Structures are given as structure tokens and as C-alpha cells.
Amino acid sequence: MPLKRIISRLDIKGPNLVKGINLEGLRVLGNPDFFSKNYYYAGADEIIYHDCVASLYEKKYLLDFINKASSNVFIPVSVGGGIKTLKDIELILKNGADKVFINSAAIKKPKFLEEAVKNFGSSTISISIEANKKKDNQYYCFYDYGREKSNRRVKDWIDEVQSKGAGEIILTSILKDGTGEGFDIGLLDLVHKIIKVPLIIHGGAGNSNHVSDVLKYKNVSGVAISSMLHYSLIQSDKFIFENKKEGNTSYLLSNDKYFSSRFENTSISQIKKKLKKKRLDIRV
Amino acid sequence: MKKITIIDYGTSNLKSINAAFNYLGYSTLITNDKKKILDSDLLVLPGVGSFPVVMQYLTKHCLDIPIKEHIKKNKPFLGICLGMQVLFEYSYEFKKTNGLSVLKGEVNNLMDMNSSKNILIPNTGWTALKRNNLFNQKNLITISKNMNFFFTHSFFVKPKNKRIISSYISFGKEQICSSVQYKNIFGMQFHPEKSGNKGLNLLEKFCKL
């Protein structure tokens, strides 16, 4: 079995790295290039770029970030958000991404997933799932950055995308995203036994114990972390804020300690050291 | 300055492999021009996509000829991932397809392995390389503890001559070939351009051949 991956996830809106809670209330955190470069040197196993708005006009920022990453970050780069056509995928790969992930477009038209796999190969096409409970207390797949509900149950959708050739699944818990309360273990317990492709868990990491809690599952290939890494880096001496004069920058300009109290102040290398001590198979 | 040529066959992600060479201080030429390929000192065949598509492209554009010429002249050749797989006789990806037959052996599906029931496929992630005791040349890859490289693949090569296997990785209870080395031919199932410093060091060693 490959080593368990620690992946840093960067949510992008226009020219900025952003982060919210429950995929809402996005705050501007700075220049994505600065963060990805730091995570590469700190020992990240992979980087995920997720475009939150992904309108055609704003895509040029994303492509620019992937371009820069491919020339100074020598680990795999996975990109998604708003991918609708095979042309979109081609453009993202040509700009230096290694993998793309799809959510909305596959939920609306599952055949698109099959076409993507046929054209670019299984290992290049991942599925992103934004999961949340509805009133019946069952987990369903949401889309459009958590704004829209679908009628697909998470478990059924995992079965379907695996049979259609998805090479990897990134599973986000909307409820836990940005909270630092720990990953959604209920969601993981529901799905881990039916997993046949690599599974990446995202949403809720607040400290390294949360990370080891999910990496203990045999079928979990890695975790994607955003808030905990971003807020730690912002608090470090290295951090330089470049104001792009767009979006909600009030968090960075204020001295809000709310977030620093929810997330362990750490780094990828420190997290990895702790995981190694717990005898998890990690790349150091 | 050595002429490093990367073969362009449309689908592959050439950007990162090119960026890795540039980072190491080497400029490269990305081309599908036969003459330029023949003129190179070091030749790199990257690989993303599927076996039949790549072979179709190489034969349609008659690129098989300069690749074989280059290898015959004993100049260093590096095949990465699918770029290594096409060196063999045939693959079973989608349908049985002939490869370049530079090396003897075939390309099989990980799904057909006995271990595959309990293992996630594609085989994606960082994995440590293991020594092959039958391999007795000077290995381009230094195999030691924590030599982890990034893999992402669903097919793997089975060379007929086990002595050309320069490293293995574990796949469940079995092991599969993760790199080959035969005279001037180097093949890697993993992506050195995506394996951080260790990958970059390996590429640098190749550049210095």
C-alpha cells in the first residue's frame, strides 16, 4: 500500500486564497503562490486547488496559479471547481495540473465522468463529493460549492462513480468544513467499506489527532487540510500579506483570535512527525 | 550543453517534466520532429494517457524510428510511466496492442493480480522502492530507506529478463517492477518530476550521464 498522504488544499476565489466555514463566508487569506510554495517545502505530499467560483472570466487566475505551481512545486497538483467540459480538463492539464476533480458536472450528467475517464485515463480523473445530511438524517451529495442539494445519496454515488472509472474520491464534509472539530467520522464509517479507489478525506482537521483518527482507516489514502495549515502559516513570521483589493479581507486586517483558538498552530512537517510516532505510514 | 529532448505526443503533461529539467538548470527541446529527436543527446519519453493512444500517435508520426535509432546509438533514454511501458512488446490496456519491442516483456493490469482484491486501484501515492537482488549493474537509482517516489498507475510492466529490473515496489503480498535499466535505457513507473527533491536528484543524475 502507498504511504498515507497529507495534502494541502487551497480554495481559490479570483486572485486570492480564501477559506470559509461550512463552505460559506469566504475570507481572503492571501496569495495562493506563497502558500503552495511553503507547503511544498514543509513536506506536503500533494496540493489541491479548488476554484470556488470558477466563472469563465475568473478561470484565468486559476490557470496562472497552476502554471506557477508546476514550475516550482515538484509534487502532484490536483485541480477542480467548475469543470464542465473535456476542453476545460485539457486546458487545466496543459497548464500543469496532474489530476482534475469533478463534482457538479458529473452529478448533472454522469456520462461526462465516463467520457473524461476514457479521454484522460482513470488516474487523471477524480470525483469530489460535498456531503451533508438532509432532514431525513441521511447523507446526500451537494454541489456548486455546497450551495445546491442533489437527490443522490453519498453511498450510492460512490458505487456509481467507482463503476464509471473515477480514479480517486475526495470526500468533503460540509458540516465539518472549516470548524476544526475533527473529521466527520459518521460519514467515514458509512462509506469506508465500499471504497475500491483511493479516498481522500476533507473537512474538520483541527489538530494532528484528528488526522490520525481518519488515517487509521485502511481504505483512507490521505487527508486534505486547509484551515489548520493556512491559519498556522498566517501566524508564522514568514507570512506576508499581499492585498489584491478584492474580497473580504477584514479577517486578515483585524486581530481576530477566534480561528487561532480552534486550530492547532502547526505545520505539515510537525503533523507528520506526530503521525510517524503513532506508527502511521507517512512520507518524511 | 547537452541536448535534452522531450518527445511531444499531444496528450502528455509535458509542462512539469520540462519544469523539472529547467529547475535543474537544463534547457530542453519539446518536439515531435524526427530530425530533432535523432539529433538529441538525451531523450525523454513522458507518459500520460493510454497505451493504444500513445502507440497510435508514435507510429502515425513515425516516431518509433528515431526512438529506436537513438537507443541503438547507445545514447541515454528515459521513459516515464507510460513512456516506459511502450518500450515493451505489448500491453493489455483496453485491447492487446503492440509496443515498441525495445525490451522483452508485457504490460499487465493491476486488477489481474491476486492481491488486487484488497488493494485500491489505481495505485496512487508515494511508495518506497525495494532492491532487486538479481540486478547487478551500477544502479542509477540509489535504493535506501525512505526512497519514496510518487506513483499513479493501473498497469505495470513484466520484463522477461528479471535482471533489468532495477527496483520493485510492494503490491499487497506480491511485488511489481517499478523501474528498469538496461544499458542506456532507463524506465520509471513512478514520476521523478513529481517526487520532490529525491525525484529531482534522480533526474539530475540522468542529465549527467
Side-chain angles (χ1 to χ4, degrees), chain A residues 1 4 192-193 195 197-199 217-221, chain B residues 120:
Chain A
M1 287 281 264
K4 305 270 179 177
H192 78 103
K193 281 186 184 147
I195 288 295
V197 300
L199 172 69
Y217 285 74
K218 180 173 165 276
N219 283 351
V220 173
S221 294
Chain B
L120 309 173

Side-chain angles (χ1 to χ4, degrees), chain A residues 1-3 5 40-41 44-46 67 70-77 93-99 118 120-124 166-168 195-199 218-221 276 282-284, chain B residues 10-16 19-21 23 48-50 53 93-94 118-128 146 148-150 152-154 170-172 191-198 200:
Chain A
M1 287 281 264
L3 302 168
R5 279 175 275 164
Y40 169 59
Y41 286 111
D45 295 314
E46 190 168 325
N67 240 306
S70 73
S71 58
N72 53 34
V73 171
F74 298 102
I75 50 173
V77 173
L93 294 176
K94 277 225 162 105
N95 275 278
D98 301 289
K99 288 188 273 187
K118 209 176 139 202
F120 302 98
S122 230
S123 46
T124 311
E168 187 157 282
I195 288 295
K196 298 187 184 106
V197 300
L199 172 69
K218 180 173 165 276
N219 283 351
V220 173
S221 294
K276 192 86 191 168
I282 294 292
R283 181 179 71 107
V284 286
Chain B
T11 65
S12 177
N13 176 19
L14 305 161
K15 217 181 177 92
S16 17
F21 283 114
Y23 180 86
V48 173
S50 71
V53 173
E93 191 168 356
F94 296 124
N118 311 311
I119 291 187
L120 309 173
I121 296 174
N123 182 43
T124 301
W126 298 75
T127 304
N146 291 333
N148 301 308
F149 289 91
F150 182 76
T152 177
H153 63 122
S154 309
S170 303
F171 185 78
H191 289 270
E193 78 281 13
K194 287 285 156 189
S195 298
N197 263 336
K198 283 170 184 158
L200 293 170

Side-chain angles (χ1 to χ4, degrees), chain A residues 66-213:
Chain A
I66 309 168
N67 240 306
K68 277 192 199 132
S70 73
S71 58
N72 53 34
V73 171
F74 298 102
I75 50 173
V77 173
S78 218
V79 178
I83 291 174
K84 291 185 194 75
T85 63
L86 296 177
K87 262 239 137 77
D88 289 342
I89 298 175
E90 200 185 324
L91 192 64
I92 287 172
L93 294 176
K94 277 225 162 105
N95 275 278
D98 301 289
K99 288 188 273 187
V100 298
F101 53 90
I102 308 167
N103 180 17
S104 314
I107 285 188
K108 288 175 195 162
K109 188 183 155 205
K111 205 166 183 329
F112 176 59
L113 170 61
E114 283 175 298
E115 286 166 9
V117 168
K118 209 176 139 202
N119 276 273
F120 302 98
S122 230
S123 46
T124 311
I125 306 295
S126 312
I127 280 288
S128 157
I129 299 177
E130 291 160 1
N132 214 350
K133 281 183 180 171
K134 285 206 227 173
K135 280 186 189 132
D136 62 1
N137 213 25
Q138 304 284 320
Y139 284 100
Y140 288 87
C141 299
F142 285 53
Y143 61 99
D144 283 352
Y145 209 68
R147 289 184 290 267
E148 305 291 335
K149 298 172 193 171
S150 81
N151 289 323
R152 294 181 191 278
R153 289 193 188 194
V154 170
K155 217 173 153 184
D156 300 340
W157 184 232
I158 288 177
D159 277 332
E160 188 169 343
V161 300
Q162 290 187 141
S163 72
K164 287 190 158 55
E168 187 157 282
I169 294 170
I170 305 167
L171 181 59
T172 297
S173 159
I174 297 177
L175 186 69
K176 296 290 182 177
D177 172 71
T179 63
E181 290 168 357
F183 295 96
D184 192 336
I185 301 293
L187 176 61
L188 182 53
D189 282 335
L190 179 76
V191 305
H192 78 103
K193 281 186 184 147
I194 58 162
I195 288 295
K196 298 187 184 106
V197 300
L199 172 69
I200 306 299
I201 296 290
H202 170 244
N207 60 50
S208 61
N209 289 334
H210 293 151
V211 178
S212 61
D213 287 346

